[in-house]
Amino acid sequence: MSRGADTRARILLAAEQLMREAGLARTTTKEIARAAGCSEPALYRHFASKEDLVVAVLQERLPAFGPLISQYTTDPGGRSLHDCLVEIAVEATLFYESSFAINVSLFSDPALLRRHREAMSALGTGPHLPLRDLAGLLRAEQARGRMSSGADPDSAAAALLGACFQRAFLHHFHGAAVADADTHREQVREFAIGVVATVVTGIADTHHNH
């Protein structure tokens, strides 16, 4: 790894740790640079702004379910729709769990939230993109004939990612203890399998008319 790449990696690691501990709103680039063992000007040689750094942390340091959606949209690789959605739900839940502490402090300061929203928009990113992209994947599945033509991709995507976000919220709210990363992933997978089965098959009793 080159010296520049090493510095960038240290900055990302320090930023992730500080944002998890103090929240995004209270973490400054000066504190991140100090924790990374570099100067603030050196930090800005790698990242144009604090928001640029935040995007890099979310994309490079946390579970990446956005690229997984793109991959399965283009080529499911022989996986069933159910299996694709389970993998996406697992990574989405882990991502929301990992990013929750980073982002939640933004909502205590409306002005800061507005500035952050504007910066994310300028960078062409934001939390709405996975929802949009998952709906796009479901439309691709409809075109492949693997999903009902009468189903609403936008609603299905919202139901699935909404459930993942809710689980992440409750995980933090209740302070659930985790034995180890592998055990936690398996617990998340069990959740994902159940939610995806419900989204894919629905809950109505098709044998009765009401």
Side-chain angles (χ1 to χ4, degrees):
M1 181 182 292
S2 67
R3 185 173 180 180
D6 178 66
T7 299
R8 185 179 186 279
R10 285 189 287 110
I11 292 170
L12 282 174
L13 176 60
E16 179 194 359
Q17 291 175 338
L18 287 171
M19 289 174 185
R20 283 180 185 269
E21 294 168 3
L24 180 56
R26 295 187 178 183
T27 301
T28 66
T29 52
K30 182 178 293 185
E31 291 170 334
I32 294 170
R34 185 185 303 116
C38 68
S39 66
E40 198 170 8
L43 181 151
Y44 281 112
R45 282 197 290 272
H46 292 277
F47 302 97
S49 63
K50 179 179 174 180
E51 287 74 22
D52 187 34
L53 178 53
V54 170
V55 171
V57 168
L58 296 177
Q59 292 181 341
E60 300 177 38
R61 293 290 308 174
L62 304 186
F65 78 102
L68 193 60
I69 294 174
S70 299
Q71 175 188 333
Y72 289 168
T73 301
T74 303
D75 180 12
R79 298 172 184 83
S80 66
L81 172 60
H82 175 274
D83 289 346
C84 287
L85 293 182
V86 166
E87 293 305 318
I88 289 169
V90 168
E91 296 304 319
T93 303
L94 294 174
F95 174 85
Y96 288 139
E97 287 180 358
S98 299
S99 62
F100 204 88
I102 293 175
N103 290 317
V104 71
S105 61
L106 282 172
F107 293 88
S108 64
D109 186 337
L112 179 62
L113 176 61
R114 184 178 63 254
R115 292 196 300 273
H116 183 73
R117 185 188 302 123
E118 291 169 351
M120 291 297 101
S121 178
L123 290 168
T125 189
H128 61 291
L129 296 184
L131 182 61
R132 180 202 68 185
D133 294 344
L134 181 55
L137 179 151
L138 295 176
R139 288 189 177 87
E141 289 293 301
Q142 281 182 319
R144 295 183 182 112
R146 303 207 307 172
M147 178 175 157
S148 168
S149 60
D152 179 0
D154 294 297
S155 296
L160 182 57
L161 293 188
C164 296
F165 188 87
Q166 174 75 355
R167 191 186 193 281
F169 167 74
L170 292 175
H171 172 77
H172 283 283
F173 184 82
H174 292 299
V178 179
D180 56 67
D182 290 338
T183 299
H184 182 57
R185 176 175 280 273
E186 283 307 307
Q187 292 170 343
V188 170
R189 179 172 293 279
E190 289 177 10
F191 154 80
I193 289 171
V195 169
V196 168
T198 301
V199 170
V200 170
T201 63
I203 62 174
D205 184 350
T206 57
H207 296 292
H208 294 84
N209 293 319
H210 300 283

